[in-house]
Amino acid sequence: GAVVSQHPSWVICKSGTSVKIECRSLDFQATTMFWYRQFPKQSLMLMATSNEGSKATYEQGVEKDKFLINHASLTLSTLTVTSAHPEDSSFYICSARDTWRGWETQYFGPGTRLLVL
Amino acid sequence: AQKITQTQPGMFVQEKEAVTLDCTYDTSDPSYGLFWYKQPSSGEMIFLIYQGSYDQQNATEGRYSLNFQKARKSANLVISASQLGDSAMYFCAMNGGYGNKLVFGAGTILRVKS
């Protein structure tokens, strides 16, 4: 149980275009999902908390207009990188909140590698 | 604020031997959870084990056990009988506080030698 998928797994785009990444909880409903960014050989950096039916909560320093998050249903959150530039190239990974033996746990998707040319 | 410290950037272990990955934490919250995740080269984050701050016993899941020493604020991961497939980055994390967000350590790269 507690499977999270992400699509696409890889995306290459030209500078100035927008890219949408989907995060789905496959076998459970998630009122809360999280979006992280990870640079090579570094830890995960939380970008925002996505809440179903309400606006996302962004971490300090993350541009809301740059990284648009929509959590339209209990199983789907999307991250749109608008007007992508080479510095947005990174590994983006989402997680969904569920419980494990009664304890709140985050289950992660497989991640999306974004390369902006 | 919560903080996780992993002081070992990299570790080597011989196949079939046990290895301990260190993790210390800092928090002022009385209630918190401690997690270990494995990240292989593919990038996915795999949940391994959880320890609650009020748990009296150390958590165990198969070959993984968490050595929880609350007074020392440490939550070390012990992997017994290492396998080649255990080679990966390992992250210690904790949640608690406002929003119950996960705070991650810097990670430890584990390499299992045959």
Side-chain angles (χ1 to χ4, degrees):
Chain A
V3 179
V4 178
S5 70
Q6 254 182 269
H7 178 79
S9 55
W10 255 109
V11 59
I12 300 173
C13 68
K14 292 183 179 180
S15 186
T17 61
S18 294
V19 175
K20 180 185 281 189
I21 303 170
E22 292 186 349
C23 178
R24 293 180 185 274
S25 56
L26 298 184
D27 52 357
F28 65 103
Q29 293 183 328
T31 56
T32 304
M33 293 184 175
F34 301 88
W35 287 96
Y36 295 85
R37 184 174 180 176
Q38 186 181 30
F39 292 105
K41 297 185 179 180
Q42 293 189 22
S43 189
L44 278 71
M45 180 187 76
L46 179 65
M47 299 175 65
T49 303
S50 172
N51 300 297
E52 189 267 337
S54 64
K55 291 183 178 180
T57 304
Y58 290 82
E59 294 300 301
Q60 193 171 11
V62 177
E63 299 176 59
K64 301 178 184 181
D65 296 332
K66 175 73 171 176
F67 300 100
L68 299 178
I69 291 172
N70 184 282
H71 195 150
S73 77
L74 288 172
T75 59
L76 174 64
S77 176
T78 61
L79 168 68
T80 301
V81 183
T82 62
S83 187
H85 291 286
E87 58 265 29
D88 298 324
S89 298
S90 190
F91 184 62
Y92 294 87
I93 189 166
C94 71
S95 71
R97 189 181 273 168
D98 195 18
T99 57
W100 179 78
R101 297 181 184 173
W103 298 101
E104 191 174 283
T105 306
Q106 286 187 30
Y107 291 92
F108 286 81
T112 297
R113 298 189 188 277
L114 170 63
L115 177 61
V116 184
L117 303 176
Chain B
Q2 299 177 321
K3 185 178 180 181
I4 293 283
T5 302
Q6 293 180 255
T7 57
Q8 305 156 313
M11 292 278 289
F12 282 98
V13 65
Q14 195 67 39
E15 194 178 10
K16 299 181 184 179
E17 292 185 350
V19 63
T20 298
L21 306 184
D22 295 341
C23 172
T24 57
Y25 61 92
D26 191 25
T27 182
S28 56
D29 295 318
S31 178
Y32 51 89
L34 295 157
F35 303 80
W36 278 92
Y37 287 89
K38 172 184 177 181
Q39 187 178 42
S41 58
S42 59
E44 62 180 316
M45 292 282 284
I46 303 168
F47 165 65
L48 296 178
I49 197 167
Y50 169 88
Q51 179 86 42
S53 58
Y54 294 118
D55 292 344
Q56 298 294 318
Q57 292 185 323
N58 288 340
T60 60
E61 288 295 325
R63 294 187 298 112
Y64 304 108
S65 60
L66 201 152
N67 185 358
F68 181 45
Q69 299 190 39
K70 196 169 183 177
R72 294 184 179 183
K73 293 188 175 180
S74 72
N76 298 339
L77 176 70
V78 180
I79 305 175
S80 63
S82 297
Q83 302 172 356
L84 294 177
D86 293 334
S87 293
M89 176 78 95
Y90 289 81
F91 289 100
C92 180
M94 71 181 303
N95 69 356
Y98 180 75
N100 222 15
K101 294 181 260 191
L102 272 181
V103 175
F104 285 89
T108 297
I109 298 175
L110 176 67
R111 290 287 177 253
V112 181
K113 300 184 291 184
S114 59

